[in-house]
Amino acid sequence: MLRYKTREWLPEFTKNILRQIFVSSSKSATGRIKNQPPLRGVRVIELAGLAPAPFCGLILADFGASVTRIVKPNEDALIEDCLTRGKRTIEVDLKTQQGIETVSNLCFNADILIDPYRPGVLEKLGLGSSKLLRNNGRLIIARITGYGQTGPLAQSAGHDINYVAMSGLLPTISQNRQQPFPPANLLADFAGGGLSAAFGILLAIFEREKSNKGQVIDVSMTEGLAYLGSFVNLTRHWQSFWDRDIGVFSGNYPVYRTYKAADGKFLAVGALENKFQENLFKGLKLPITSSDVENRPEYVSDLLEKEFMQKARDEWMEIFKDCDACVSPVLEMDEVGEHHHHIFRANFTFD
């Protein structure tokens, strides 16, 4: 049963957009996966929650799993409702015994349960992992939280910015600026949480083929992100990478940064190797070399800033289209589907 209820205070335009999202999100993406989707036959129960849990369910659904999403009765529309593509949604009241029995029965025949709640919530509902595993020994329970199932912070509230902060990566991501800034909510919610959970589930499915047993996956968004940042952590003392003024990933390195074009749009330059730098300077018709990048980086940045302002972004892309200079257009979201490479590969669809 697919139902939605928009909040009364939402403008009519926003309500229409939400309705379009609900319609489009009910369409399966597996049709874009050639042959048979790899997770066909895998049955997933997703308890509706914030960003990481529905994204994890979305990944599984996109690759062929049968995902049933459980929501509260008559619940208002949520932002995460845009992540329901390929899922079926049912309403279950977890405050009633009948609702608990419904979820328990669903888990009896399921392969995976995605738990978005704080530690102990399922236990209080009478749906603890030990009980569910007694009923279905092959069940895989992915429990996604900010700080993990145990420890002093296990019950603490938080959002993406808190988990990124606790991972140790926020100052580096912010180029060690005096006041670190959050990189939207992509890293902890979707990479450290949803994607890590999906990967953990696949590992558990693989292991289950050998042991014939399910298991509980303790997904900490903080730890998932810290693991994702292994390279950053292991190279944090390399000043050539992370120096706040002119390091390669500082945003100021002349051949690894963005530049504004004459039309106000931007280009991304990633010419780290000498051969790419030579092609870059040749395309720009600038009399500089790779040695200038190392010895006079500010001077090179100034030259490139002025030169890129002489033409529009797409004019520059025409110049560099057959040249290995590691130059790319910075695409807006509404431009992505129009790029010839994405069109060729059918990477994006428009609803």
Side-chain angles (χ1 to χ4, degrees):
M1 173 171 36
L2 293 171
R3 298 184 58 177
Y4 63 86
K5 179 181 177 183
T6 54
R7 297 183 186 275
E8 293 303 319
W9 50 263
L10 287 176
E12 191 60 34
F13 172 78
T14 306
K15 291 181 181 180
N16 290 335
I17 292 296
L18 283 173
R19 292 187 186 105
Q20 292 175 36
I21 289 174
F22 293 133
V23 171
S24 65
S25 63
S26 65
K27 300 176 182 177
S28 174
T30 56
R32 296 197 296 275
I33 301 175
K34 295 181 180 180
N35 303 320
Q36 293 294 323
L39 295 181
R40 63 189 182 279
V42 175
R43 293 158 297 187
V44 181
I45 305 301
E46 175 196 315
L47 300 175
L50 298 181
F55 182 61
C56 175
L58 179 70
I59 295 171
L60 301 178
D62 278 350
F63 286 89
S66 174
V67 180
T68 299
R69 174 174 171 260
I70 295 176
V71 301
K72 299 175 183 177
N74 302 313
E75 187 172 43
D76 287 350
L78 301 172
I79 295 175
E80 285 77 14
D81 288 342
C82 64
L83 299 174
T84 58
R85 180 176 62 234
K87 307 174 186 179
R88 79 179 176 117
T89 298
I90 62 173
E91 294 182 345
V92 177
D93 188 353
L94 295 179
K95 294 182 179 179
T96 66
Q97 187 57 37
Q98 182 181 6
I100 298 302
E101 291 176 359
T102 297
V103 174
S104 181
N105 291 335
L106 287 170
C107 289
F108 180 77
N109 294 300
D111 295 288
I112 298 156
L113 172 66
I114 300 175
D115 167 23
Y117 303 138
R118 292 195 206 186
V121 172
L122 282 187
E123 283 73 13
K124 290 179 181 178
L125 291 172
L127 294 169
S129 56
S130 57
K131 178 181 178 180
L132 294 176
L133 285 169
R134 279 198 304 270
N135 295 336
N136 178 1
R138 287 172 52 84
L139 183 66
I140 295 165
I141 306 172
R143 312 193 74 168
I144 309 174
T145 60
Y147 302 112
Q149 294 294 307
T150 60
L153 295 180
Q155 294 293 339
S156 298
H159 282 293
D160 188 280
I161 186 173
N162 306 110
Y163 312 137
V164 179
M166 286 292 291
S167 74
L169 291 172
L170 190 55
T172 301
I173 293 169
S174 304
Q175 286 94 45
N176 292 309
R177 297 180 183 177
Q178 188 172 1
Q179 180 174 338
F181 64 91
N185 69 326
L186 288 174
L187 291 179
D189 280 353
F190 296 105
L195 190 60
S196 293
F199 179 62
I201 287 170
L202 296 181
L203 292 178
I205 291 175
F206 180 75
E207 195 279 334
R208 191 177 66 178
E209 292 301 306
K210 303 174 184 178
S211 67
N212 200 36
K213 294 181 180 179
Q215 61 180 282
V216 176
I217 305 171
D218 181 356
V219 183
S220 159
M221 287 181 256
T222 301
E223 293 161 16
L225 176 56
Y227 186 72
L228 182 72
S230 295
F231 175 80
V232 177
N233 181 38
L234 295 172
T235 63
R236 68 188 185 279
H237 299 305
W238 296 11
Q239 288 197 351
S240 60
F241 278 5
W242 308 111
D243 180 86
R244 70 171 60 189
D245 295 323
I246 208 68
V248 171
F249 300 124
S250 66
N252 298 319
Y253 195 56
V255 291
Y256 201 87
R257 51 163 289 191
T258 58
Y259 287 94
K260 190 175 184 179
D263 56 355
K265 297 181 179 180
F266 288 84
L267 298 107
V269 173
L272 290 177
E273 293 83 358
N274 289 352
K275 61 182 179 180
F276 300 138
Q277 293 173 20
E278 291 174 6
N279 291 335
L280 172 66
F281 301 147
K282 182 178 178 180
L284 292 169
K285 297 181 179 179
L286 292 175
I288 51 179
T289 66
S290 297
S291 62
D292 292 313
V293 174
E294 297 304 318
N295 299 322
R296 299 191 294 170
E298 293 89 353
Y299 170 72
V300 174
S301 282
D302 289 342
L303 280 182
L304 268 60
E305 285 177 0
K306 292 174 182 176
E307 190 58 33
F308 274 118
M309 282 297 291
Q310 301 308 306
K311 292 181 174 63
R313 182 195 68 184
D314 292 346
E315 291 181 89
W316 283 118
M317 289 314 306
E318 187 66 24
I319 290 172
F320 287 108
K321 69 176 183 179
D322 297 319
C323 177
D324 266 348
C326 300
V327 178
S328 306
V330 176
L331 298 176
E332 299 288 346
M333 284 191 181
D334 58 2
E335 297 179 293
V336 170
E338 301 171 359
H339 192 276
H340 64 278
H341 177 76
H342 298 322
I343 291 173
F344 180 86
R345 289 179 54 81
N347 277 339
F348 298 87
T349 58
F350 177 75
D351 263 319

